[in-house]
Each structure stands twice: as C-alpha cells, then as structure tokens.
Amino acid sequence: MRKLLITVVGLLISQVMCAQDYSKQVEKLLKKMTLEEKVGQMTQFTSSSDVTGPTLRDNVEKDVKAGHVGSLFNAVSAEYTRELQQMAVEETRLGIPLLFGYDVIHGFKTIFPIPLAEASSFDLEMIKGAARVAAEEASAAGIHWTFAPMVDVSRDPRWGRVMEGAGEDTYYNSVVAKARVEGFQGDDLSATNTVLACAKHFLAYGAAQGGRDYHTVDMSMQTLHDVYLPPFKACVDAGVETFMTSFNEINGIPSTANPYLFKEILRNQWDFKGMVVTDYTAINELIPHGIADNLQSAGELAVNAGIDMDMEGAVFLNTLVKAVKENKVSEETIDEAVRRILTVKFKLGLFDDPYKYCNAEREEKVTLSADFKRKARLAAQRSIVLLKNENQTLPITLSNTKKIALIGPLAKSRKDVLGGWKAKGSPKNAKSLFEGMKHATAGKAELLYAKGCKLSGEDKSGFEEALEVAKKADVIVLAIGESRVISGEAKSRSDISVPGVQTDLLAHLKQAGKPIVVVLMNGRPLTLEREDELADALLETWHLGTMAGPAIADVIFGAYNPSGKLPMTFPRNVGQIPIFYNVKNTGRPFNPEKPSGYKSTYLDVPNTPLYAFGYGLSYTKFEYSEIKMSSKSTDNEITASVEVKNVGDYDGEEVVQLYVQDVVGRSTRPLKELKGFEKIFLKQGETKTVTFNIKKEDLTYFRWDMSEGVEAGDFNVYIGTSSDNVKRASFTLTEGFEVRKDNPVKSK
C-alpha cells in the first residue's frame, strides 16, 4: 500500500511539473510570436480530400509555409503528414508543428458499428475498446485529433446524425461519452497511439426543430441543463481536451457566438482548460444566421465568445489582426486562445518530436490487423438487437435446414454496411451478409440468392425471381433498410419508413409460405409497423462496419446470442415524433384501462412506441424477481436489488436496467429516468443478484428557478429488461440535497 501511495504521489507531482513546464514553454513561445503568427495558430484548413462542406481555400502548402495555419484536417497517411509537418517545422520562422485532425467517428480503416449501433450493446468496455482501436489506426496514419465523440442527446430519428451518438437518454449518453473519450485519449496523450478527443456539438444540436439538420433550437433553460448539458460535463470530467461548437442557434444566439456556453458554463462553471474549435465554416455562417453583418463582426463575436480555432472559414485569419488594431478584440483574448492551442501540442509531445506520429512502418503494421478485425466482429455481434422472434424462427439450425434463400438489395452490399462517416474504410475490406452466410453454411446448407429490388425507386421487376428462389428454400433471410448515404450529416428524412418497394418485396415473399427473417440495416430508428406484422423474426443490425457480414451470420445461426438493447425509441409512425421514454405526465394523463374521455392521447394511434427504449430480445428468456430495497427510507443513499434467472434454453446476456421516478418535485419530473444498468451473462438455469446503489445526489435536477437539487419525498424505483417492462418498488428520501441555490444563468 505504501509503495502504491508513493507511486501515485510521484505520478501526480510529475503531472504538475509537466503542466508547469508546458506553461513556461508556452509563455516563452508566445512572447516571440507576432500577432499574425498567433492568428495563424487559430486557423484550421482542410487538405485536398474528404471535404465536409464548401471548400473555401486551396493551396494549403502555401498557407503552411506562410505560418497561416495551426491545424490541418483531412491530411492522412504517415508520409503525407510528415511532408506537411516538415514544411511547418523547417520552413516557418518559429517552427511550430501542425495539429492534424480527421473525422474518425467509428473507426479509421477497420470500421466498427456506427455509434448508435455500438450504444445498443450497453457494453461500455467494448465501446471504449472500439475507440481505442480507432485511435491506434488513426494515430499510425499521422492523425493527432479526432472530431468525436458526438454526445448530442437526440430524440428525433428524422435527424440523420442520430447515427453518430448514443441516443435519447441523458445518463446513457454521459457514460458512453466518458468511455469514448477515455478510449481515444488513453492514459497518456504523449504516447504515439492516442488521439485528442473532441466533445461535439456544443450545444443541443440534436434538438433541431423538425429533425432538420442545422435548424433552430428553442427550449427552456431547465431542459438545456437537465437533458443536454450533462453528457458534455461527463466529457470534461473524463479529461477531454477539445470541444466543437454546434451549427444551431439556441434561444436566439448561434452557439458559435454564445459566451454563456463557452465562457460561463465551459470555462467558469466547469473549469475546462482545453481548446474550442468551430464546426466547418460556422463563423462564416453567423452572417446568414442574422447575428453578424460581415465577416469581421462574425469573427469578433466568435473569438469574444471564447472560440479558439476557426475551422476552414479563414475568418480569424482575414479579420482578427484588424479587429485587434481597432480595439474590438483584445490581444490578451488572442493570447489566451493560442495558449490553449500550444498547450495541446505540447501535451501531444509534438514539440519534442513533430514526426512522432509519422511512422509508415507502424501504419502498415497496425492498420486492418487481424486483432482489430476480430474486435470489430465482436463489437458488431454485441450491437445487434433482436426485435421479434415468433415461433423461435431464430437461430436457424443448420442441422435440419437444407436450403436458405438470401434476398434483398443489401444482401451483397459491402459499402452500405460501413455506414455514414466511414473515414478511410473501404468496401473492399468489408464483409457482406452474403459472404458471412456463405462461409457459415459451407458444407452444411445451400445458400440461394436473389436481389429482389433496389434500395430506392418503384421497380418491382425482380419480385418474381425472388419469389421463385424463396419457394425453393426452407427459410428466407431478407436484407433491407437504408443505404449508408441517407443517414449522417445533412441526411434528414421526413419519412423514416423503409425506402422504396423493399417492404412490398417482403409482402410478396409471404406467398412462399416460408419463415421470413428480416435483417434491417439502417442508421436511425425506422417506422416498422408493417415489417413487424409481416416478418417472423426481425433483426436490427444497423450499419455494423467492416465485419458486418460474419457478425450477422453469427447471430442468425446461433454462434452468438443477441444481447443488444435499443438506445432510441422506435415510433409507430412519424406523427408520434418526438417520442422518448422519459416523458412527463400531464394533468390529464392517459390511462389504458380507461381510454375514453379527455385524455392526453391520439385518436388514431396508441401513445406507446412500437419498440421502447431499452428493448431487445434474446434467444433465451430471463425472469426477474420482485425488487428488494435495503430500507423504506433514507437521508442519503439506498440500494435496490433484483434476482435475474435465465429460464430459457440458451446461455445469454441481459442488460438489467434501473429507472427512478421523483413522484413530487418543486418542478415536474419525468415518469422514469435511467439511473444505472448492468450487463450480465447467465448460463441456462443460472440466477444472479444485481444490486444498484442510489445516492441522493444522483436524483438532483434543475428547478423552475434554475437552482439545482432534490427535495425530500417519495420515489419509485423500476428495474427490468426495458423501459416499458419493469418491476416496481418505492422509498422515501427524508432529507433533500442542494447542489446550488443560486441561478447559474446569472452566476459570474
């Protein structure tokens, strides 16, 4: 114990000394810099590939040599980044190294499931490990910085970028955010296999009106603080080094010009020391937003709001020197931004060795390694959610199945399984469902194939061929869903049904009279009432990445028992949107036992979703005991326990979920809120006890006056297999807890 204490103290002293050393070196460098060189450090431009918006500049090399660039993104490969770094270090006056960024969202070349799919695993270690692999590969290609994780709470599946996050729940987004930050950044930023993480998009980007990308956000300060801020705070607590602004406005102020977000919350309240970068040309966009009338005023608003780096827009580069000379921006504001940028570069060790990430030999060795592909396959398995399984259609038993029909426009697709934001992932390295099933059935069953239809359009000319193939088989596997290009940034949809005539193909195949397994591939929750009615089994496989095909085959044939749960609610139709599990009651709540009268409900559809948050089946069955509370009341903390038994025919995993309801508060509270979960493995017939500890500080919220705390009173506790399938108990909190009594909106 004494040795451990000495080691820990030594490590802390070392970290403090390193921080002091950075500070001295940064200050020494700042004194040498001209104002123009400082503004250059605050400028980020794109390289020649993977442009994510309108290209404003070319001739990157000229900008680098002129000292006009502090960071580049989309410059990829050890050799290319070495070439650019050499220009910055050897051909500029001060030789300050460049920071190379790239959108490594769910893998670099070994592509893992899209983040929403990974979130379905409810496996934080797996999620952290996926980010670690992404960091290993990206750093080997010269990348220092990823623009991930996206931690926007998203409750509108029409928004295409739901595929980048962890879904609708604040608590779950927070713990997933922490896992991803730790995975990307590792334990030592100066190591060559880590990258800077970037918490994005600050703030409330996922709450855009109508699910339209970039659109307006208008909400109460309570909701902003209770729902949308906590995942970003979790990133700060996890040590994230960078933040990115969001494109949207909040309550009349675009985020990129909002000092309340970046100065008051991020700096003053959370004490964030890292740097803030805009999203792509976000400063330029302050003009069409209508808050700035020219680029100089836009730049002034952004830098005075606390923004450190301008991504691609060249606004800082072209206007800040003039703004300082006109006393509209202080040079100390510029210095503070440059301090943060230089500090990050020192932390990465770039001043010690600017080329440390530029190792072509390491790049060749680690990229698409067998170990990384193995981990990607495991992650894909764990991200699959079983939505329906009538008559135990799945798993397909090859010992008594002679012929399998694989049909659908996604059955042989290698590109679509990669999903949106595929980085440098290539279809040539991906495995399709056809390939996965062909390998699994080799020598055991005959695999028949027909495309049936395209992903979009009204052409049904392939239906009859598909039906003939289906009639020859014992079971049908139908692969349908979204192409990878209709989810992601700027990919909002007003109709989130399965596109084209794919569902008509499913209906047509019913004529074969054979069991049908529908394999869905998509980047968002879809409206699936018709598919749910027609299919015998329904697998939500999302876009699973490089090893999608083998992983789906593993689940179809029972090599892996699906354990995923939905991190977002699936609506019955778009008219229910927004729909999420932790809604509040009304003064006239709907009672399913007394549906008539003036109630808060629809005339044409139930209030309930098609599939609720936390929902997901297994090939086995789990039985829950009643909840045992450690006591009936507490003034501090209490435990809730439940026994879970595997009463089915397979070994399997279950995500045991804890929800809490504050029955009466100073402000109204949701019907239930996720406060914990545990993923457990149970052998057939095995029972385990799962215990959750509930602390009163876990129950705090923002009241109508924006004070934060929780009051004494009654609470309901729910534990179960999904948000709509739980056991219930209760306890009384005898003493409230105040985090802060003042109004954080007005605090200074």
Side-chain angles (χ1 to χ4, degrees), residues 305-494:
I307 309 306
D308 302 317
M309 185 175 284
D310 173 10
M311 181 188 284
E312 184 59 21
V315 179
F316 282 177
L317 184 66
N318 293 331
T319 69
L320 281 192
V321 171
K322 186 171 182 283
V324 171
K325 290 178 179 178
E326 293 176 353
N327 294 319
K328 293 178 179 177
V329 174
S330 71
E331 190 159 359
E332 177 51 40
T333 297
I334 303 296
D335 286 351
E336 191 56 40
V338 177
R339 280 190 188 96
R340 295 174 188 135
I341 294 164
L342 295 177
T343 298
V344 162
K345 293 181 179 184
F346 272 109
K347 285 185 176 182
L348 287 169
L350 295 178
F351 282 95
D352 295 325
D353 180 3
Y355 309 113
K356 62 187 295 185
Y357 285 71
C358 308
N359 187 327
E361 184 179 341
R362 183 167 78 93
E363 181 180 20
E364 177 69 23
K365 181 180 179 181
V366 306
T367 302
L368 286 165
S369 71
D371 182 52
F372 289 174
K373 286 190 281 189
R374 179 187 64 81
K375 289 177 178 177
R377 182 172 179 168
L378 293 173
Q381 291 173 350
R382 299 178 77 74
S383 299
I384 294 171
V385 185
L386 179 61
L387 299 177
K388 181 181 180 181
N389 195 23
E390 289 295 313
N391 302 316
Q392 295 181 310
T393 302
L394 289 174
I396 296 172
T397 306
L398 289 174
S399 60
N400 56 16
T401 304
K402 303 302 180 184
K403 293 183 179 181
I404 301 168
L406 175 57
I407 298 170
L410 286 165
K412 285 190 172 182
S413 177
R414 287 175 159 189
K415 64 180 182 180
D416 292 300
V417 296
L418 296 176
W421 293 112
K422 66 178 180 61
K424 286 297 182 181
S426 171
K428 71 179 182 181
N429 297 317
K431 297 293 184 182
S432 69
L433 175 57
F434 179 85
E435 291 170 289
M437 291 182 64
K438 189 73 173 175
H439 184 269
T441 57
K444 301 174 184 176
E446 185 179 355
L447 186 65
L448 311 175
Y449 167 77
K451 185 174 182 178
C453 67
K454 296 179 180 179
L455 280 167
S456 59
E458 302 300 317
D459 183 8
K460 298 183 180 181
S461 61
F463 278 26
E464 291 309 316
E465 179 194 359
L467 181 58
E468 289 306 309
V469 169
K471 287 177 178 178
K472 297 175 184 177
D474 300 311
V475 61
I476 304 163
V477 176
L478 178 64
I480 58 176
E482 294 183 311
S483 72
R484 72 168 196 85
V485 298
I486 64 169
S487 61
E489 185 174 355
K491 303 295 191 300
S492 298
R493 296 180 61 198
S494 65

Side-chain angles (χ1 to χ4, degrees), residues 122 169 171-172 175 581 613 655-660 673-679 690-694 698 718-720:
F122 279 76
D169 183 71
Y171 168 81
Y172 190 50
V175 294
Y581 85 90
F613 175 88
V655 180
V656 184
Q657 301 160 43
L658 167 74
Y659 300 88
V660 176
E673 296 178 281
L674 184 70
K675 293 295 182 181
F677 62 90
E678 185 173 337
K679 191 164 190 173
V690 178
T691 300
F692 295 101
N693 192 37
I694 305 168
D698 298 330
Y718 304 95
I719 301 177

Side-chain angles (χ1 to χ4, degrees), residues 207-352:
Q209 291 175 3
R212 266 175 50 200
D213 216 346
Y214 319 122
H215 204 9
T216 303
V217 173
D218 195 2
M219 65 171 54
S220 71
M221 293 301 291
Q222 275 179 282
T223 301
L224 202 67
H225 279 262
D226 259 350
V227 177
Y228 292 93
L229 275 167
F232 289 95
K233 179 59 163 61
C235 289
V236 173
D237 293 342
V240 74
E241 288 289 341
T242 71
F243 263 63
M244 180 184 287
T245 69
S246 59
F247 284 119
N248 57 286
E249 70 165 63
I250 305 174
N251 301 339
I253 306 294
S255 295
T256 306
N258 195 331
Y260 174 66
L261 295 182
F262 294 101
K263 286 191 168 182
E264 178 55 30
I265 295 177
L266 194 58
R267 302 295 184 192
N268 294 347
Q269 293 182 23
W270 295 353
D271 197 30
F272 176 66
K273 303 296 187 185
M275 79 172 183
V276 175
V277 64
T278 72
D279 209 335
Y280 199 102
T281 68
I283 300 177
N284 310 65
E285 294 167 27
L286 295 178
I287 296 174
H289 265 297
I291 200 167
D293 58 1
N294 58 58
L295 288 177
Q296 182 170 328
S297 65
E300 292 163 5
L301 285 170
V303 75
N304 287 328
I307 309 306
D308 302 317
M309 185 175 284
D310 173 10
M311 181 188 284
E312 184 59 21
V315 179
F316 282 177
L317 184 66
N318 293 331
T319 69
L320 281 192
V321 171
K322 186 171 182 283
V324 171
K325 290 178 179 178
E326 293 176 353
N327 294 319
K328 293 178 179 177
V329 174
S330 71
E331 190 159 359
E332 177 51 40
T333 297
I334 303 296
D335 286 351
E336 191 56 40
V338 177
R339 280 190 188 96
R340 295 174 188 135
I341 294 164
L342 295 177
T343 298
V344 162
K345 293 181 179 184
F346 272 109
K347 285 185 176 182
L348 287 169
L350 295 178
F351 282 95
D352 295 325

Side-chain angles (χ1 to χ4, degrees), residues 148-206:
M150 188 192 91
V151 298
D152 299 309
V153 173
S154 43
R155 294 174 166 178
D156 192 330
R158 294 173 297 181
W159 189 48
R161 299 194 81 163
V162 299
M163 56 80 60
E164 283 185 67
E168 71 186 49
D169 183 71
T170 299
Y171 168 81
Y172 190 50
N173 265 276
S174 299
V175 294
V176 170
K178 178 177 183 290
R180 287 184 169 139
V181 168
E182 291 175 346
F184 285 129
Q185 294 192 166
D187 299 323
D188 180 7
L189 274 177
S190 66
T192 56
N193 63 348
T194 60
V195 294
L196 302 170
C198 183
K200 68 179 190 184
H201 307 82
F202 204 57
L203 181 65
Y205 189 34

Side-chain angles (χ1 to χ4, degrees), residues 525-589:
L526 301 175
T527 50
L528 299 170
E529 279 198 306
R530 193 175 172 208
E531 292 78 7
D532 180 72
E533 181 182 346
L534 292 168
D536 296 282
L538 198 54
L539 278 176
E540 175 56 87
T541 72
W542 310 103
H543 291 139
L544 290 177
T546 301
M547 299 303 291
I552 300 170
D554 290 336
V555 169
I556 287 175
F557 297 115
Y560 181 78
N561 186 351
S563 62
K565 302 283 187 175
L566 294 178
M568 279 191 78
T569 300
F570 276 49
R572 297 177 184 274
N573 60 46
V574 292
Q576 289 185 309
I577 298 171
I579 182 170
F580 47 92
Y581 85 90
N582 56 341
V583 295
K584 294 183 177 182
N585 239 337
T586 71
R588 295 183 176 185

